[in-house]
Amino acid sequence: MSENTPLLEVKDLKQYFTINTGLLQSKQLKAVDGVSFSINKGETLGLVGESGCGKTTVGRSLLNLYKPTSGQIFYEGKEIKTRNDIKEFRKKATMVFQDPYSSLNPRMTVSYIIGEPLDVHKLYKTKEEREARILELMGYVGLNSEHASRYAHEFSGGQRQRIGIARALAVNPDFIVCDEPVSALDVSIQAQVINMFEELQEKFGLTYLFIAHDLLVVRHISDRIAIMYLGKMVEIADAEEIYNHPLHPYSKSLLSAVPIPDPKIARTNKRIVLSGDIPSPLNAPSGCPFRTRCAYAVERCAETMPEFKEVSTDHFVACHRTSEIN
Amino acid sequence: MARLLEVKDLKTSFFTDVGEVKAVNGISFNLDRGKVLGIVGESGSGKSVTAYSIMQILTGTGKIVSGSIKYDGKELVGAGEKVMKDIRGNNISIIFQDPMTSLNPTYTIGHQLTEAIILHTDRNKKQAWDRAVEMLRLVNVNEPEKRMKQYPYEFSGGMRQRVMIAMALACEPDILIADEPTTALDVTIQAQILELMKSLQEELGMAIIMITHDLGVIAQMCDEVIVMYAGSICEQGTADEIFYNPKHEYTKGLLRSIPSQANAGKKLEPIAGTPIDLLNMPKGCAFAPRCDVAMKICLKENASRMQINDDHQAACWVNVREAISNE
């Protein structure tokens, strides 16, 4: 792996929300509970997990869209702490959202939407420069100049996502959090957008945190993959490694549950079907959060949360019984 | 013997302020007893409207324009609401994509299940209650007696979909239509529900029409597959034929554009262009504007369905050209 410091490093990130559960009563929802990982320059880290596991919250906390409850975030080795740090950081790190219908203001024209980050960060000297930059950005994502004066509602889902990507590129970022960017799109359009992400990465040397629940898509685009369950990181490894040799029992069942679009494989594929539902993050189980659905759970699992440790080079797992069950 | 379900040249349109939207534009297919038929397509392909037409639960401006739907030899189009009420639930049932909104939040699960059973059978309240408990047990809901008294908000998404399946199967229908039954669910829960549907299908011997956009679900569940685009059937055949020997350019494009083992590490090959606008349908083949190998004739005339082999039909001019050049 890279000999330099990683582009982005997250240490023990916690993001708790206070939920009102009744009159004068409240509870802490531990959306993200002590997550650590790093992303190297130019790579794509896929972040997967089921709804409520905290993957979107990780992405948002990372960019300080929520103020993290605790934990440290380092960008190019420098911790992001003060408001000034955050402002500088947001010129280098941007986000593409899941829903291309609600993430674009319907009252604004395409050129206004893409130009807004330029205005906020004062990235141009003259009006002409601003216009030229907007057209350049639109060109990167395959929109033509005549689209500039149209409104977002005039576009299809795939084109809207292109507008969202152009907006994310406006500040010339190094790092983009992609939060389920293709989930709302039709299959035939998904591939267009995935290819565009890959092309832009090559062109601008971008680094992605690619959050998604579609495991086939994540496998395709990611260099490394991180799997979360109920606010905790359960496994991180190289993409091929994690698909071929998942070590955590949750990763195993999650990856085996993916319906493969190939009838012969689907017929012979041995699925590990989990019993039960994901517990509510408001009442997360003690110890390892997965133990209530885990076939290998023992007493120890209820007592302590397993440490997230490196079991082989760059392969991290949080399970007490990694060596026994594999 | 009559086919279980026979759909012939079905046309369903929505009459909107801006014009007629031909959501289903002349489709024909058959379904035999105990088979799982998959209908795959993107948004706007007409797959859900096909299901709603069979059930005759089209809302507002939607209307079956022409065609025939025969259940067990009996014509359903124009049969009237009274006949349909009897068919729905008893003979053909449907479950929907969103288990969050398909249940009434103000009534208990037990109330909603027994209501459906009393409506369709001559069971009394007590018998219906017992049947409901039995059904919940069948779909693997733990402690069914206790769950009967709970409200939908106390159920997770996967559990609600189980309740919907229990309700749909309570009167032992011959056909279960599942409209994107697992799209709103998480992967591990999806695996549970698909497994459940498959085992119930084997146990009860009903036929399933599985409507989905997910080719993975199709591969896992279906004997036979229909591929739809812009309200028409492009291709129909056994699952193996569709996946390993696709004969319509749209199907080929779809299969190329999904990430798989075969294209790992390579660029995906997307289908160019944008999804179809049903208000501005092109002349000729609806897919032609996005097709890489479209010929002149594709832009003028729609190809009719051609028999590729015993298990396979496709409506694509490319096959016609190949057939001619082979002769």
Side-chain angles (χ1 to χ4, degrees):
Chain A
M1 196 166 282
S2 135
E3 58 288 343
N4 312 322
T5 45
L7 183 72
L8 191 97
E9 201 174 359
V10 177
K11 279 189 184 155
D12 205 27
L13 180 72
K14 287 182 183 165
Q15 183 75 61
Y16 298 170
F17 297 106
T18 307
I19 305 285
N20 291 326
T21 50
L23 191 66
L24 303 177
Q25 284 179 329
S26 64
K27 235 178 173 176
Q28 288 230 302
L29 187 147
K30 299 180 176 177
V32 177
D33 196 14
V35 162
S36 305
F37 61 92
S38 60
I39 307 177
N40 297 316
K41 193 159 173 47
E43 81 166 349
T44 302
L45 177 70
L47 181 57
V48 299
E50 299 180 279
S51 39
C53 75
K55 55 189 191 301
T56 294
T57 309
V58 165
R60 294 185 167 210
S61 306
L62 212 60
L63 298 186
N64 256 283
L65 294 181
Y66 304 132
K67 194 177 168 6
T69 310
S70 72
Q72 294 169 293
I73 297 163
F74 297 88
Y75 188 77
E76 290 179 323
K78 188 171 169 281
E79 189 176 357
I80 296 161
K81 270 202 291 214
T82 63
R83 282 183 69 165
N84 219 11
D85 292 343
I86 293 170
K87 202 173 170 204
E88 282 306 304
F89 178 51
R90 286 206 187 136
K91 279 189 211 170
K92 292 175 187 142
T94 55
M95 189 154 183
V96 176
F97 297 91
Q98 169 170 9
D99 186 351
Y101 292 84
S102 62
S103 63
L104 303 176
N105 189 335
R107 291 162 169 246
M108 303 299 172
T109 61
V110 170
S111 80
Y112 186 89
I113 290 169
I114 298 174
E116 199 172 10
L118 301 175
D119 302 339
V120 170
H121 294 290
K122 301 185 182 65
L123 294 176
Y124 54 88
K125 288 192 193 76
T126 61
K127 259 201 166 144
E128 290 72 36
E129 201 183 324
R130 181 178 184 270
E131 285 312 303
R133 175 71 178 148
I134 290 170
L135 290 182
E136 183 187 21
L137 287 163
M138 289 176 65
Y140 292 149
V141 297
L143 295 169
N144 21 11
S145 51
E146 68 222 41
H147 291 143
S149 54
R150 291 212 221 149
Y151 290 89
H153 71 85
E154 298 175 59
F155 294 89
S156 66
Q159 283 174 311
R160 283 179 209 215
Q161 205 54 300
R162 287 168 193 267
I163 300 169
I165 295 167
R167 173 174 64 183
L169 289 173
V171 296
N172 223 340
D174 297 326
F175 174 64
I176 301 180
V177 174
C178 314
D179 186 10
E180 305 255 15
V182 297
S183 307
L185 306 178
D186 266 321
V187 184
S188 70
I189 305 302
Q190 260 190 16
Q192 293 178 2
V193 176
I194 292 169
N195 279 354
M196 200 169 65
F197 272 112
E198 289 182 337
E199 282 156 21
L200 293 171
Q201 181 166 44
E202 271 167 43
K203 195 164 179 174
F204 299 111
L206 293 169
T207 305
Y208 294 139
L209 177 67
F210 198 93
I211 303 167
H213 68 272
D214 184 329
L215 292 145
L216 292 172
V217 169
V218 171
R219 178 182 192 171
H220 187 85
I221 202 166
S222 306
D223 300 305
R224 286 190 305 140
I225 291 175
I227 299 179
M228 283 185 74
Y229 188 80
L230 271 186
K232 298 258 199 320
M233 200 63 93
V234 299
E235 191 163 356
I236 296 184
D238 183 77
E240 284 314 301
E241 165 81 2
I242 211 165
Y243 271 88
N244 297 326
H245 307 284
L247 295 177
H248 196 281
Y250 176 64
S251 314
K252 288 181 191 206
S253 59
L254 181 71
L255 297 174
S256 79
V258 183
I260 309 285
D262 185 324
K264 280 180 188 152
I265 297 176
R267 267 174 229 139
T268 53
N269 196 10
K270 283 209 175 60
R271 264 173 290 280
I272 309 166
V273 176
L274 290 175
S275 58
D277 280 313
I278 307 161
S280 156
L282 275 174
N283 298 305
S286 64
C288 172
F290 184 59
R291 68 175 168 86
T292 51
R293 300 171 80 195
C294 181
Y296 306 100
V298 290
E299 250 173 61
R300 187 162 37 131
C301 303
E303 286 156 10
T304 54
M305 173 63 201
E307 199 189 328
F308 192 57
K309 56 178 184 250
E310 192 167 8
V311 288
S312 58
T313 318
D314 295 325
H315 195 151
F316 293 81
V317 187
C319 178
H320 284 306
R321 305 190 65 197
T322 306
S323 54
E324 296 159 55
I325 60 177
N326 284 297
Chain B
M1 209 178 83
R3 296 264 192 177
L4 184 59
L5 188 76
E6 208 173 346
V7 176
K8 238 193 197 140
D9 207 26
L10 176 70
K11 288 186 180 168
T12 303
S13 290
F14 289 86
F15 296 90
T16 65
D17 295 343
V18 281
E20 179 185 357
V21 177
K22 293 177 178 170
V24 173
N25 198 5
I27 64 165
S28 307
F29 64 90
N30 300 317
L31 175 68
D32 288 326
R33 243 165 243 285
K35 289 279 181 208
V36 183
L37 171 72
I39 302 182
V40 67
E42 300 179 277
S43 30
S45 64
K47 53 192 194 307
S48 290
V49 178
T50 303
Y52 297 168
S53 302
I54 294 170
M55 296 296 279
Q56 294 188 29
I57 49 172
L58 294 156
T59 46
T61 54
K63 222 181 124 207
I64 296 179
V65 179
S66 66
S68 132
I69 300 168
K70 279 187 183 150
Y71 167 76
D72 214 4
K74 192 161 65 178
E75 180 59 53
L76 299 184
V77 176
E81 189 56 19
K82 212 168 153 236
V83 176
M84 281 315 297
K85 263 192 177 155
D86 199 43
I87 294 277
R88 288 184 208 125
N90 277 335
N91 304 114
I92 311 176
S93 276
I94 187 164
I95 54 174
F96 299 97
Q97 169 171 356
D98 192 352
M100 302 296 161
T101 53
S102 326
L103 289 164
N104 187 331
T106 62
Y107 290 105
T108 61
I109 295 297
H111 179 98
Q112 299 183 54
L113 273 171
T114 47
E115 184 188 30
I117 295 168
I118 291 170
L119 200 66
H120 288 292
T121 62
D122 44 16
R123 289 186 173 90
N124 64 29
K125 228 176 167 183
K126 171 80 184 54
Q127 287 165 327
W129 187 271
D130 291 342
R131 173 73 179 156
V133 172
E134 187 190 327
M135 287 312 296
L136 284 185
R137 196 167 285 132
L138 185 73
V139 296
N140 299 332
V141 171
N142 286 332
E143 302 179 79
E145 286 90 355
K146 187 181 138 204
R147 296 297 242 167
M148 287 282 281
K149 293 178 193 136
Q150 292 182 332
Y151 288 88
Y153 77 88
E154 296 172 86
F155 284 63
S156 67
M159 278 297 157
R160 283 182 222 201
Q161 200 56 293
R162 281 169 200 268
V163 171
M164 290 310 296
I165 294 173
M167 197 182 287
L169 298 185
C171 302
E172 295 171 4
D174 290 324
I175 303 171
L176 173 68
I177 301 176
D179 185 10
E180 303 262 9
T182 57
T183 307
L185 305 176
D186 277 315
V187 183
T188 60
I189 309 299
Q190 164 171 282
Q192 290 175 359
I193 297 292
L194 292 179
E195 199 105 323
L196 174 74
M197 287 181 68
K198 193 108 204 185
S199 73
L200 287 175
Q201 191 257 337
E202 278 159 19
E203 201 176 318
L204 307 173
M206 70 217 168
I208 295 179
I209 299 178
M210 187 81 178
I211 295 166
T212 176
H213 68 277
D214 187 335
L215 285 158
V217 172
I218 293 278
Q220 190 178 331
M221 296 289 290
C222 301
D223 305 309
E224 193 146 327
V225 184
I226 286 174
V227 183
M228 282 187 78
Y229 187 80
S232 305
I233 293 179
C234 335
E235 187 163 10
Q236 178 175 4
T238 59
D240 283 16
E241 280 288 324
I242 297 291
F243 279 90
Y244 303 126
N245 186 27
K247 284 290 179 197
H248 192 287
E249 290 306 313
Y250 174 62
T251 318
K252 291 180 199 170
L254 263 192
L255 289 167
R256 275 197 299 262
S257 66
I258 46 173
S260 68
Q261 224 101 20
N263 57 24
K266 286 186 224 145
K267 274 261 155 73
L268 297 174
E269 291 178 51
I271 300 177
T274 50
I276 190 95
D277 176 5
L278 289 173
L279 276 168
N280 296 308
M281 288 272 275
K283 223 175 144 214
C285 172
F287 184 63
R290 300 176 72 188
C291 183
D292 290 337
V293 294
M295 299 173 281
K296 268 188 197 150
I297 190 156
C298 302
L299 301 169
K300 281 192 210 135
E301 235 176 287
N302 224 336
S304 52
R305 264 211 257 186
M306 192 171 110
Q307 202 77 31
I308 307 292
N309 57 40
D310 290 351
D311 303 321
H312 196 165
Q313 297 176 328
C316 182
W317 284 112
V318 173
N319 301 319
V320 179
R321 186 182 59 185
E322 265 169 34
I324 293 168
S325 64
N326 282 346
E327 260 169 29

